[in-house]
Short mmCIF file of all heavy atoms in Angstrom, two decimals:
data_model
loop_
_atom_site.label_atom_id
_atom_site.label_comp_id
_atom_site.label_asym_id
_atom_site.label_seq_id
_atom_site.Cartn_x
_atom_site.Cartn_y
_atom_site.Cartn_z
N GLY A 42 -18.07 18.11 17.79
CA GLY A 42 -18.13 16.69 17.59
C GLY A 42 -17.37 15.97 18.66
O GLY A 42 -16.88 16.55 19.60
N SER A 43 -17.44 14.63 18.64
CA SER A 43 -16.73 13.84 19.84
C SER A 43 -15.18 14.03 19.69
O SER A 43 -14.46 13.95 20.81
CB SER A 43 -17.03 12.40 19.75
OG SER A 43 -18.23 12.12 19.12
N SER A 44 -14.68 14.11 18.49
CA SER A 44 -13.19 13.98 18.45
C SER A 44 -12.39 15.03 19.26
O SER A 44 -11.39 14.60 19.89
CB SER A 44 -12.75 14.17 16.92
OG SER A 44 -13.50 13.08 16.15
N PRO A 45 -12.69 16.22 19.28
CA PRO A 45 -11.80 17.28 20.04
C PRO A 45 -12.16 17.48 21.55
O PRO A 45 -11.46 18.09 22.28
CB PRO A 45 -12.07 18.59 19.32
CG PRO A 45 -13.48 18.55 18.76
CD PRO A 45 -13.77 16.98 18.58
N VAL A 46 -13.31 16.64 22.09
CA VAL A 46 -13.75 16.89 23.39
C VAL A 46 -12.59 16.75 24.41
O VAL A 46 -12.35 17.46 25.27
CB VAL A 46 -14.87 15.93 23.80
CG1 VAL A 46 -15.13 15.97 25.24
CG2 VAL A 46 -16.09 16.46 23.01
N GLY A 47 -11.85 15.61 24.24
CA GLY A 47 -10.66 15.41 25.08
C GLY A 47 -9.48 16.44 25.18
O GLY A 47 -8.96 16.78 26.08
N VAL A 48 -9.36 17.04 23.95
CA VAL A 48 -8.34 18.01 23.76
C VAL A 48 -8.84 19.31 24.53
O VAL A 48 -8.11 19.96 25.43
CB VAL A 48 -8.11 18.56 22.38
CG1 VAL A 48 -7.20 19.73 22.12
CG2 VAL A 48 -7.74 17.29 21.56
N TYR A 49 -10.13 19.64 24.45
CA TYR A 49 -10.74 20.73 25.20
C TYR A 49 -10.53 20.51 26.68
O TYR A 49 -10.31 21.40 27.41
CB TYR A 49 -12.17 21.02 24.80
CG TYR A 49 -12.17 21.49 23.25
CD1 TYR A 49 -13.42 21.27 22.50
CD2 TYR A 49 -11.10 22.00 22.55
CE1 TYR A 49 -13.43 21.39 21.19
CE2 TYR A 49 -11.23 22.35 21.27
CZ TYR A 49 -12.40 22.08 20.58
OH TYR A 49 -12.36 22.41 19.22
N GLU A 50 -10.80 19.25 27.09
CA GLU A 50 -10.66 19.09 28.61
C GLU A 50 -9.19 19.24 28.98
O GLU A 50 -8.99 19.79 30.02
CB GLU A 50 -10.98 17.54 28.88
CG GLU A 50 -12.53 17.23 28.96
CD GLU A 50 -12.86 15.76 28.89
OE1 GLU A 50 -11.93 14.98 29.03
OE2 GLU A 50 -14.01 15.57 28.79
N GLU A 51 -8.25 18.81 28.17
CA GLU A 51 -6.80 19.08 28.60
C GLU A 51 -6.59 20.65 28.61
O GLU A 51 -5.79 20.95 29.42
CB GLU A 51 -5.94 18.35 27.60
CG GLU A 51 -5.99 16.77 27.83
CD GLU A 51 -5.68 16.35 29.22
OE1 GLU A 51 -4.88 17.11 29.95
OE2 GLU A 51 -6.16 15.20 29.53
N LEU A 52 -7.04 21.33 27.61
CA LEU A 52 -6.87 22.74 27.64
C LEU A 52 -7.40 23.47 28.81
O LEU A 52 -6.75 24.35 29.39
CB LEU A 52 -7.39 23.36 26.21
CG LEU A 52 -6.77 23.06 25.05
CD1 LEU A 52 -7.58 23.56 23.90
CD2 LEU A 52 -5.27 23.65 24.90
N VAL A 53 -8.61 23.08 29.24
CA VAL A 53 -9.20 23.59 30.39
C VAL A 53 -8.33 23.19 31.64
O VAL A 53 -8.11 24.24 32.42
CB VAL A 53 -10.65 23.01 30.67
CG1 VAL A 53 -11.19 23.46 32.09
CG2 VAL A 53 -11.58 23.54 29.51
N LYS A 54 -7.82 22.07 31.80
CA LYS A 54 -6.93 21.77 32.79
C LYS A 54 -5.65 22.54 32.78
O LYS A 54 -5.16 23.12 33.92
CB LYS A 54 -6.50 20.23 32.78
CG LYS A 54 -7.53 19.29 33.21
CD LYS A 54 -6.93 17.89 33.45
CE LYS A 54 -7.77 16.80 32.95
NZ LYS A 54 -7.13 15.58 32.58
N ALA A 55 -5.10 22.75 31.64
CA ALA A 55 -3.80 23.57 31.55
C ALA A 55 -4.13 24.93 31.87
O ALA A 55 -3.23 25.73 32.45
CB ALA A 55 -3.32 23.45 30.10
N TYR A 56 -5.31 25.47 31.54
CA TYR A 56 -5.73 26.92 31.93
C TYR A 56 -5.78 26.95 33.44
O TYR A 56 -5.43 27.88 34.07
CB TYR A 56 -6.93 27.21 31.31
CG TYR A 56 -7.60 28.55 31.94
CD1 TYR A 56 -6.99 29.75 31.74
CD2 TYR A 56 -8.66 28.39 32.68
CE1 TYR A 56 -7.52 30.95 32.43
CE2 TYR A 56 -9.27 29.52 33.29
CZ TYR A 56 -8.54 30.85 33.18
OH TYR A 56 -9.00 31.95 33.79
N GLN A 57 -6.44 25.91 34.08
CA GLN A 57 -6.68 26.03 35.56
C GLN A 57 -5.44 25.94 36.37
O GLN A 57 -5.38 26.61 37.41
CB GLN A 57 -7.49 24.75 36.03
CG GLN A 57 -9.05 25.01 35.48
CD GLN A 57 -9.89 23.75 35.66
OE1 GLN A 57 -9.23 22.61 35.75
NE2 GLN A 57 -11.14 23.80 35.66
N VAL A 58 -4.33 25.32 35.84
CA VAL A 58 -3.09 25.42 36.56
C VAL A 58 -2.23 26.60 36.05
O VAL A 58 -1.05 26.76 36.36
CB VAL A 58 -2.32 24.14 36.58
CG1 VAL A 58 -3.13 22.93 37.17
CG2 VAL A 58 -1.99 23.70 35.14
N ARG A 59 -2.85 27.45 35.26
CA ARG A 59 -2.29 28.76 34.78
C ARG A 59 -0.94 28.35 33.91
O ARG A 59 -0.09 29.22 33.78
CB ARG A 59 -1.75 29.72 35.87
CG ARG A 59 -2.91 30.11 36.78
CD ARG A 59 -3.82 31.00 35.87
NE ARG A 59 -4.98 31.56 36.64
CZ ARG A 59 -6.20 31.14 36.64
NH1 ARG A 59 -6.47 30.01 35.99
NH2 ARG A 59 -7.19 31.58 37.25
N ASP A 60 -1.16 27.25 33.15
CA ASP A 60 -0.09 26.91 32.25
C ASP A 60 -0.31 27.60 30.92
O ASP A 60 0.73 27.88 30.22
CB ASP A 60 -0.20 25.35 32.02
CG ASP A 60 1.08 24.84 31.32
OD1 ASP A 60 2.15 25.61 31.25
OD2 ASP A 60 0.87 23.70 30.67
N ILE A 61 -1.54 27.95 30.57
CA ILE A 61 -1.84 28.73 29.43
C ILE A 61 -2.93 29.70 29.75
O ILE A 61 -3.62 29.65 30.63
CB ILE A 61 -2.40 27.76 28.11
CG1 ILE A 61 -3.46 26.89 28.64
CG2 ILE A 61 -1.16 27.05 27.60
CD1 ILE A 61 -3.98 26.13 27.46
N SER A 62 -2.90 30.73 28.83
CA SER A 62 -3.96 31.76 28.93
C SER A 62 -4.57 31.94 27.61
O SER A 62 -3.89 32.01 26.49
CB SER A 62 -3.38 33.14 29.51
OG SER A 62 -4.37 34.10 29.23
N PHE A 63 -5.87 32.20 27.53
CA PHE A 63 -6.64 32.46 26.28
C PHE A 63 -7.01 33.88 26.24
O PHE A 63 -7.73 34.24 25.25
CB PHE A 63 -7.87 31.54 26.20
CG PHE A 63 -7.57 30.05 26.02
CD1 PHE A 63 -7.22 29.30 27.16
CD2 PHE A 63 -7.59 29.49 24.72
CE1 PHE A 63 -7.05 27.92 27.07
CE2 PHE A 63 -7.28 28.09 24.60
CZ PHE A 63 -7.05 27.47 25.80
N ASN A 64 -6.45 34.76 26.97
CA ASN A 64 -6.80 36.12 27.05
C ASN A 64 -6.74 36.85 25.80
O ASN A 64 -7.50 37.71 25.46
CB ASN A 64 -5.91 36.74 28.12
CG ASN A 64 -6.45 37.99 28.64
OD1 ASN A 64 -7.67 38.23 28.69
ND2 ASN A 64 -5.59 38.95 28.91
N GLU A 65 -5.66 36.54 25.03
CA GLU A 65 -5.57 37.30 23.69
C GLU A 65 -5.93 36.41 22.53
O GLU A 65 -5.72 36.87 21.30
CB GLU A 65 -4.16 37.64 23.62
CG GLU A 65 -3.56 38.66 24.59
CD GLU A 65 -2.19 39.01 24.61
OE1 GLU A 65 -1.56 39.27 23.35
OE2 GLU A 65 -1.47 38.95 25.50
N VAL A 66 -6.49 35.28 22.67
CA VAL A 66 -6.74 34.32 21.60
C VAL A 66 -7.92 34.70 20.92
O VAL A 66 -8.99 35.13 21.46
CB VAL A 66 -6.91 32.86 22.22
CG1 VAL A 66 -7.50 31.92 21.08
CG2 VAL A 66 -5.56 32.33 22.68
N THR A 67 -8.00 34.56 19.55
CA THR A 67 -9.26 34.69 18.71
C THR A 67 -9.48 33.18 18.23
O THR A 67 -8.51 32.53 17.92
CB THR A 67 -8.88 35.57 17.50
OG1 THR A 67 -8.57 36.80 18.15
CG2 THR A 67 -10.23 35.69 16.55
N SER A 68 -10.79 32.86 18.20
CA SER A 68 -11.07 31.55 17.61
C SER A 68 -12.03 31.63 16.53
O SER A 68 -12.95 32.57 16.47
CB SER A 68 -11.51 30.59 18.74
OG SER A 68 -12.92 31.07 19.10
N PHE A 69 -12.04 30.75 15.64
CA PHE A 69 -12.96 30.58 14.40
C PHE A 69 -13.42 29.04 14.42
O PHE A 69 -12.63 28.22 14.21
CB PHE A 69 -12.37 30.97 13.15
CG PHE A 69 -12.18 32.35 13.06
CD1 PHE A 69 -10.93 33.04 13.40
CD2 PHE A 69 -13.21 33.35 12.62
CE1 PHE A 69 -10.80 34.35 13.32
CE2 PHE A 69 -12.93 34.69 12.51
CZ PHE A 69 -11.75 35.19 12.90
N ASN A 70 -14.59 28.88 14.58
CA ASN A 70 -15.17 27.42 14.58
C ASN A 70 -15.42 27.14 12.99
O ASN A 70 -15.69 27.93 12.13
CB ASN A 70 -16.46 27.20 15.30
CG ASN A 70 -16.04 26.56 16.61
OD1 ASN A 70 -15.57 27.36 17.54
ND2 ASN A 70 -16.25 25.28 16.76
N LEU A 71 -15.44 25.78 12.78
CA LEU A 71 -15.65 25.28 11.41
C LEU A 71 -17.05 25.45 10.94
O LEU A 71 -17.32 25.82 9.66
CB LEU A 71 -15.28 23.89 11.34
CG LEU A 71 -13.81 23.39 11.59
CD1 LEU A 71 -13.72 21.95 11.71
CD2 LEU A 71 -12.99 23.85 10.16
N ASP A 72 -17.99 25.22 11.75
CA ASP A 72 -19.30 25.15 11.22
C ASP A 72 -20.39 25.34 12.21
O ASP A 72 -20.14 25.34 13.41
CB ASP A 72 -19.44 23.78 10.49
CG ASP A 72 -18.78 22.55 11.26
OD1 ASP A 72 -18.53 22.77 12.49
OD2 ASP A 72 -18.58 21.52 10.73
N GLU A 73 -21.58 25.31 11.79
CA GLU A 73 -22.77 25.41 12.64
C GLU A 73 -24.09 24.89 11.93
O GLU A 73 -24.10 25.16 10.63
CB GLU A 73 -23.00 26.96 13.15
CG GLU A 73 -24.14 27.14 14.02
CD GLU A 73 -24.23 26.46 15.32
OE1 GLU A 73 -24.50 25.20 15.37
OE2 GLU A 73 -24.13 27.04 16.44
N TYR A 74 -24.93 24.21 12.67
CA TYR A 74 -26.17 23.87 11.93
C TYR A 74 -26.99 25.07 11.64
O TYR A 74 -26.77 26.13 12.37
CB TYR A 74 -26.91 23.00 13.01
CG TYR A 74 -26.45 21.65 13.28
CD1 TYR A 74 -26.12 21.17 14.56
CD2 TYR A 74 -26.32 20.73 12.31
CE1 TYR A 74 -25.66 19.84 14.83
CE2 TYR A 74 -26.01 19.44 12.48
CZ TYR A 74 -25.62 19.02 13.78
OH TYR A 74 -25.07 17.77 13.95
N ILE A 75 -27.83 24.96 10.71
CA ILE A 75 -28.95 25.94 10.35
C ILE A 75 -30.21 25.39 10.91
O ILE A 75 -30.49 24.29 10.67
CB ILE A 75 -28.84 26.21 8.87
CG1 ILE A 75 -27.64 26.78 8.39
CG2 ILE A 75 -30.10 27.14 8.48
CD1 ILE A 75 -27.54 27.05 6.95
N GLY A 76 -30.96 26.26 11.55
CA GLY A 76 -32.40 26.00 11.87
C GLY A 76 -32.61 25.60 13.46
O GLY A 76 -33.78 25.38 13.83
N LEU A 77 -31.53 25.54 14.17
CA LEU A 77 -31.63 25.27 15.62
C LEU A 77 -31.84 26.57 16.34
O LEU A 77 -31.19 27.59 15.94
CB LEU A 77 -30.51 24.51 16.26
CG LEU A 77 -30.15 23.13 15.83
CD1 LEU A 77 -28.92 22.64 16.48
CD2 LEU A 77 -31.27 22.22 15.86
N GLU A 78 -32.80 26.63 17.25
CA GLU A 78 -32.92 27.96 18.01
C GLU A 78 -31.78 28.20 18.78
O GLU A 78 -31.00 27.37 19.07
CB GLU A 78 -34.26 27.90 18.77
CG GLU A 78 -34.22 27.29 20.18
CD GLU A 78 -34.86 25.76 20.02
OE1 GLU A 78 -34.96 25.24 18.98
OE2 GLU A 78 -35.08 25.27 21.18
N LYS A 79 -31.57 29.56 19.04
CA LYS A 79 -30.40 30.09 19.78
C LYS A 79 -30.31 29.34 21.18
O LYS A 79 -31.43 29.24 21.77
CB LYS A 79 -30.57 31.56 19.98
CG LYS A 79 -29.31 32.27 20.09
CD LYS A 79 -29.54 33.88 20.00
CE LYS A 79 -28.09 34.41 20.22
NZ LYS A 79 -28.09 35.30 21.20
N GLY A 80 -29.19 28.85 21.61
CA GLY A 80 -29.05 28.26 22.74
C GLY A 80 -29.47 26.87 22.72
O GLY A 80 -29.44 26.04 23.88
N HIS A 81 -29.71 26.23 21.59
CA HIS A 81 -30.10 24.84 21.53
C HIS A 81 -28.92 24.06 21.96
O HIS A 81 -27.78 24.22 21.54
CB HIS A 81 -30.46 24.41 20.11
CG HIS A 81 -31.06 23.07 19.93
ND1 HIS A 81 -30.28 21.96 20.13
CD2 HIS A 81 -32.32 22.66 19.74
CE1 HIS A 81 -31.06 20.82 19.86
NE2 HIS A 81 -32.25 21.33 19.61
N PRO A 82 -29.08 22.89 22.87
CA PRO A 82 -27.94 22.22 23.33
C PRO A 82 -27.14 21.43 22.37
O PRO A 82 -25.93 21.03 22.50
CB PRO A 82 -28.60 21.28 24.38
CG PRO A 82 -30.03 21.38 24.35
CD PRO A 82 -30.32 22.72 23.37
N GLN A 83 -27.73 21.31 21.05
CA GLN A 83 -26.94 20.68 20.11
C GLN A 83 -26.30 21.75 19.09
O GLN A 83 -25.60 21.33 18.12
CB GLN A 83 -27.68 19.67 19.26
CG GLN A 83 -28.13 18.43 20.01
CD GLN A 83 -26.95 17.76 20.76
OE1 GLN A 83 -25.79 17.87 20.39
NE2 GLN A 83 -27.08 17.22 22.01
N SER A 84 -26.52 23.03 19.32
CA SER A 84 -25.89 24.03 18.51
C SER A 84 -24.48 24.00 18.84
O SER A 84 -24.00 23.63 19.90
CB SER A 84 -26.46 25.41 18.78
OG SER A 84 -26.07 25.88 19.93
N TYR A 85 -23.65 24.35 17.97
CA TYR A 85 -22.14 24.38 18.08
C TYR A 85 -21.70 25.45 18.92
O TYR A 85 -20.71 25.28 19.60
CB TYR A 85 -21.42 24.21 16.72
CG TYR A 85 -21.60 22.82 16.01
CD1 TYR A 85 -21.21 22.78 14.79
CD2 TYR A 85 -22.06 21.81 16.71
CE1 TYR A 85 -21.35 21.50 14.10
CE2 TYR A 85 -22.24 20.58 16.07
CZ TYR A 85 -21.92 20.43 14.88
OH TYR A 85 -22.12 19.22 14.22
N ARG A 86 -22.49 26.59 19.01
CA ARG A 86 -22.15 27.69 19.92
C ARG A 86 -22.30 27.03 21.32
O ARG A 86 -21.39 27.16 22.20
CB ARG A 86 -23.10 28.81 19.63
CG ARG A 86 -23.16 29.87 20.81
CD ARG A 86 -21.74 30.36 21.24
NE ARG A 86 -21.14 31.24 20.34
CZ ARG A 86 -19.94 31.84 20.38
NH1 ARG A 86 -19.23 31.58 21.51
NH2 ARG A 86 -19.52 32.72 19.46
N TYR A 87 -23.44 26.32 21.58
CA TYR A 87 -23.55 25.71 22.95
C TYR A 87 -22.46 24.79 23.33
O TYR A 87 -21.94 24.87 24.35
CB TYR A 87 -24.97 25.10 22.91
CG TYR A 87 -25.31 24.50 24.30
CD1 TYR A 87 -26.18 25.27 25.10
CD2 TYR A 87 -24.92 23.30 24.81
CE1 TYR A 87 -26.64 24.75 26.35
CE2 TYR A 87 -25.28 22.81 26.05
CZ TYR A 87 -26.14 23.58 26.85
OH TYR A 87 -26.47 23.04 28.00
N PHE A 88 -22.15 23.95 22.38
CA PHE A 88 -21.13 22.91 22.44
C PHE A 88 -19.79 23.64 23.02
O PHE A 88 -19.10 23.20 23.90
CB PHE A 88 -20.93 22.25 21.17
CG PHE A 88 -19.71 21.17 21.16
CD1 PHE A 88 -19.96 19.83 21.35
CD2 PHE A 88 -18.41 21.65 20.99
CE1 PHE A 88 -18.81 18.98 21.43
CE2 PHE A 88 -17.39 20.78 20.97
CZ PHE A 88 -17.51 19.43 21.20
N MET A 89 -19.34 24.63 22.17
CA MET A 89 -18.07 25.47 22.53
C MET A 89 -18.11 26.03 23.77
O MET A 89 -17.15 25.96 24.55
CB MET A 89 -17.78 26.33 21.42
CG MET A 89 -17.38 25.81 20.06
SD MET A 89 -16.17 24.42 20.10
CE MET A 89 -14.83 25.30 20.87
N ASP A 90 -19.33 26.77 24.03
CA ASP A 90 -19.36 27.45 25.48
C ASP A 90 -19.16 26.44 26.51
O ASP A 90 -18.38 26.69 27.41
CB ASP A 90 -20.64 28.11 25.53
CG ASP A 90 -20.76 29.42 24.77
OD1 ASP A 90 -19.79 29.79 24.13
OD2 ASP A 90 -21.87 29.95 24.68
#
Side-chain angles (χ1 to χ4, degrees):
S43 335
S44 304
V46 169
V48 174
Y49 298 151
E50 281 170 8
E51 291 303 332
L52 288 173
V53 170
K54 282 192 222 161
Y56 165 71
Q57 283 167 346
V58 296
R59 299 294 180 260
D60 193 20
I61 49 174
S62 169
F63 292 82
N64 197 33
E65 295 178 49
V66 167
T67 298
S68 72
F69 289 91
N70 263 78
L71 288 168
D72 42 18
E73 178 60 292
Y74 287 121
I75 294 175
L77 296 181
E78 78 259 20
K79 212 169 175 236
H81 190 289
Q83 292 311 328
S84 73
Y85 289 169
R86 164 55 71 184
Y87 185 97
F88 175 101
M89 288 311 303
D90 285 349

